[in-house]
Structure formats: C-alpha cells, structure tokens
Amino acid sequence: MKKRILTGDRPTGPLHLGHYVGSLQNRVRLQDEYDTYILIADIQALTDNFEHPETLAANVFEVTLDYLAVGLDPEKANFVVQSRVPELCELTIYFMNLVTVATLERNPTVKEEIKQRNFVRGVPVGFWSYPISQAADITIFKADLVPVGEDQLPMIEQAREIVRRFNRLYDKVLIEPRAMLGSVPRLPGTDGGAKMSKSLGNCIYLGDPPDAVRKRVMSMFTDPTRIHPTDPGHVEGNPVFTYHDVFNANKQEVEELKDRYRKGTVGDVEVKQRLYDALDGFLAPIRERRDHYRHNPQQVYEIIREGTAKGRAVAQATMEEVREAMKIAYRFD
Ligand code: TRP
C-alpha cells in the first residue's frame, strides 16, 4: 500500500511564492509516489477570521485554483474541505484530553501568531487550541508524511506527542507522522522581512498578473549599505539574490550577476529586471492554468466534491477504529 501524505493550508487568500517553495513544490513532486490528501482548512481559518466568515467561500475556491495551477493533479491528490469532515471535530474533542494547557502555551508558532494578532478581547480558545485540531487533521487521514514550511514544525511535534499518548493509553491505531520541509522552508518577503505575509504586503502571489509581479520586484529591498551601482555590494542575505537562487533556472547568469554585484559593476535595476524575467518564466504557465480553472468553476467544484468525499471516507474508517480503541463504540441494538 502507498504511504500517505496529509498537508493543508488555511484558506485566507490566494497562495504566494513562499507557499510554493515551502510546501507546494514538495507536494507536486511527491504526488506520484504517495497517496495525497490536501486539506483546505476552513475551520482553522475561522479561528482568527470568525468575525468575517463570509470571506471563506471565495478563499476556498482561490486556494483550490492555486493547487491546480501549480500542477497538483486531482487524479492523484485529493482536495478535502475541512468543514465537510465533521469527524475531525469529534477527534479534536477526544484529543483535548491528551494535551495540557502548559503544552499549548509553549507552542512557539502560536505564541508568535498571538503577538502579531492583537486580539482585543483576549486570545480565543479556538485560536489557542488549534494545534489540537491540526493534530486531528494529520492523524485522521493516517498520514506518514506532512510536507510543510518551517513554522509548522511545532504542530507536527504536537501531533506526534498526541499519537504516542493515544496509542499507549488506548490501542495502537494512529500513525506518528513525520514532517518534510521544503527546499526553502522560509522565503523572505519582498521587503526583506523574515517571510511573506499577506498583512505585510510583501508577497508575490502565484496568480499575480505580470505588471503586479514587476512592480513588486522593482521595489524589492536589496543591499541597504549600497548607495551607487558602482559600490561593491552584498549578495548574502540580499533578498533579490535569494530569489534569483530559488527561481532563476539560468545558474550561470545568477553567478555572473553575483560576481558583478560584488565588484560594483551592475546596478540594482538590472539585477531586478533579470529576476523579473526569471519569475515571469516560472509564473506564466501557472497563471495560464489558473485562468483556465477560474473560468471553469463547475470543474473546480466537482474536483472539490470528489476529493472531499474520498477524504471523508478515510476519516470515517479511522474514527471507527478510534472509538473501538477507546472502548466507546457502544451499540444499543
Ligand atoms: N496550519 C497550517 C497553516 O497555517 C494549515 C493546516 C491546517 C495544516 N491543517 C493542517 C498543515 C494539517 C499541515 C497539516 O498553513
């Protein structure tokens, strides 16, 4: 039997280049080899968008377009809408008994996200405890492998802890999953910040039209110590070169540009222009596929329905085993 992948995204908007190198690329590469389930985590998206639930419907569609655009093949990968698998909620509740408040409070990713969010009425329990619901996501599909970005490692660790606890306490029915990081677990934002983030406006989206990409690239941060194109510049830690390394397939051009940059014989504008050309070559086929599906929503809905039905069947089978293991599969007939 094929091993299984489970991973997912919160549908809070379209996906960007950071998602691509952090995780999407691995999913595409592995979909032939693994039985793949990709969760469109709309319930998790609600944990901090609960005041605007009306945004979810469009975002579920956008994220699915991105999946199809990057080459995830619905024949191989199942796109599963989280809210349509109510078994996930049941498993989350059972898992809550296996996690302490202290453990949740130590989760570094959640801590960081709480800091960024500035919840005025205090941190909602739903947000604070989402690692437990994510553990249910991962385990209900019996995933072996979870391709994610670096910031998700604490979630996988939490899931592994819960699995060990569950299997010891009840019966060995759950699989302890492994994380798999992307080639670039964290792509810097175009502003040179640690990562691309919608709220910071430092993203290039997979579906961006050429002029939007050009504008973002031409306004990218470079070497802050360099004032004139004739000044020797720094390549390391310079986001424009980080992007060249990741997206420019012409390695010789990249090496030449780096060399000239260090010597002060090339200006930022030329380096950015070449990056734009490379990115456009990378994004053009993605944009084309995205447009095709965007204009054929019925085809997309059908893909979502089928993927979700398959995912739900797996989840239901796992829950039978879970209830059996917990000795709560009572029957009253
Ligand atoms: N927390 C992930 C994110 O913010 C999304 C997610 C939800 C997920 N459930 C998952 C990722 C299960 C991997 C596995 O991007």
Side-chain angles (χ1 to χ4, degrees):
M1 226 178 77
K2 271 192 183 170
K3 291 209 172 211
R4 204 167 276 166
I5 279 177
L6 179 283
T7 179
D9 301 281
R10 292 179 199 168
T12 54
L15 302 180
H16 51 60
L17 292 176
H19 292 111
Y20 184 82
V21 296
S23 161
L24 293 171
Q25 191 179 27
N26 263 338
R27 303 179 195 176
V28 174
R29 191 167 60 79
L30 296 168
Q31 63 181 340
D32 299 311
E33 227 181 295
Y34 286 80
D35 199 11
T36 298
Y37 290 83
I38 299 180
L39 196 70
I40 304 173
D42 57 341
I43 299 182
Q44 189 176 115
L46 271 182
T47 60
D48 64 321
N49 282 292
F50 59 88
E51 286 166 309
H52 297 285
E54 70 283 357
T55 57
L56 282 179
N59 287 335
V60 167
F61 183 67
E62 291 292 321
V63 167
T64 312
L65 291 182
D66 287 324
Y67 291 162
L68 293 163
V70 297
L72 284 167
D73 176 352
E75 297 289 318
K76 300 171 187 161
N78 303 294
F79 307 148
V80 183
V81 177
Q82 189 182 30
S83 62
R84 296 300 182 269
V85 184
E87 289 74 15
L88 284 169
C89 302
E90 185 186 350
L91 187 58
T92 301
I93 295 282
Y94 300 156
F95 278 178
M96 284 186 168
N97 296 321
L98 310 182
V99 181
T100 63
V101 168
T103 307
L104 280 181
E105 281 177 338
R106 275 197 301 270
N107 188 306
T109 298
V110 177
K111 269 202 223 166
E112 184 55 39
E113 287 172 330
I114 286 173
K115 240 191 272 164
Q116 289 165 2
R117 275 172 176 74
N118 162 38
F119 289 112
V120 268
R121 294 157 169 266
V123 183
V125 172
F127 187 83
W128 172 75
S129 60
Y130 88 74
I132 305 180
S133 129
Q134 189 162 332
D137 300 343
I138 295 169
T139 52
I140 211 164
F141 298 102
K142 299 240 174 136
D144 302 281
L145 202 59
V146 191
V148 283
E150 197 177 41
D151 59 325
Q152 297 298 302
L153 291 180
M155 309 307 156
I156 319 270
E157 204 33 63
Q158 176 70 83
R160 290 169 62 89
E161 248 175 73
I162 291 175
V163 169
R164 287 196 291 268
R165 192 92 213 278
F166 183 100
N167 286 350
R168 223 180 311 123
L169 203 53
Y170 302 124
D171 197 2
K172 205 176 168 327
V173 300
L174 300 178
I175 293 175
E176 212 178 310
R178 278 185 305 120
M180 177 187 251
L181 289 182
S183 55
V184 181
R186 196 181 285 229
L187 187 73
T190 54
D191 59 354
K195 65 172 182 175
M196 286 194 172
S197 152
K198 189 174 66 171
S199 55
L200 298 176
N202 61 359
C203 304
I204 294 173
Y205 293 97
L206 294 167
D208 271 349
D211 53 324
V213 178
R214 186 189 298 276
K215 216 171 120 208
R216 273 270 172 266
V217 170
M218 296 318 282
S219 64
M220 270 182 85
F221 281 45
T222 57
D223 176 357
T225 67
R226 195 174 191 241
I227 298 164
H228 307 290
T230 49
D231 295 344
H234 297 89
V235 164
E236 279 69 36
N238 182 332
V240 177
F241 282 101
T242 307
Y243 282 39
H244 262 295
D245 281 333
V246 179
F247 296 105
N248 191 341
N250 185 345
K251 296 300 159 210
Q252 196 188 332
E253 177 180 71
V254 176
E255 286 318 307
E256 278 167 20
L257 285 173
K258 285 182 179 175
D259 193 48
R260 290 172 59 205
Y261 201 81
R262 289 194 182 100
K263 288 189 192 136
T265 61
V266 65
D268 278 357
V269 173
E270 184 180 343
V271 179
K272 289 177 175 177
Q273 183 61 49
R274 303 278 189 100
L275 175 62
Y276 169 75
D277 292 340
L279 276 176
D280 190 57
F282 169 77
L283 289 171
I286 293 179
R287 192 182 296 130
E288 204 174 301
R289 272 196 297 267
R290 205 177 191 284
D291 283 342
H292 163 81
Y293 285 107
R294 193 156 53 89
H295 295 116
N296 292 281
Q298 286 307 330
Q299 205 179 339
V300 178
Y301 299 151
E302 177 63 20
I303 288 167
I304 295 177
R305 279 199 301 272
E306 278 188 18
T308 302
K310 281 201 199 150
R312 180 146 195 223
V314 174
Q316 285 173 329
T318 303
M319 285 316 288
E320 303 267 327
E321 287 182 72
V322 162
R323 293 185 210 108
E324 242 2 284
M326 294 175 69
K327 313 256 188 307
I328 56 170
Y330 341 108
R331 302 175 61 94
F332 303 102
D333 48 10

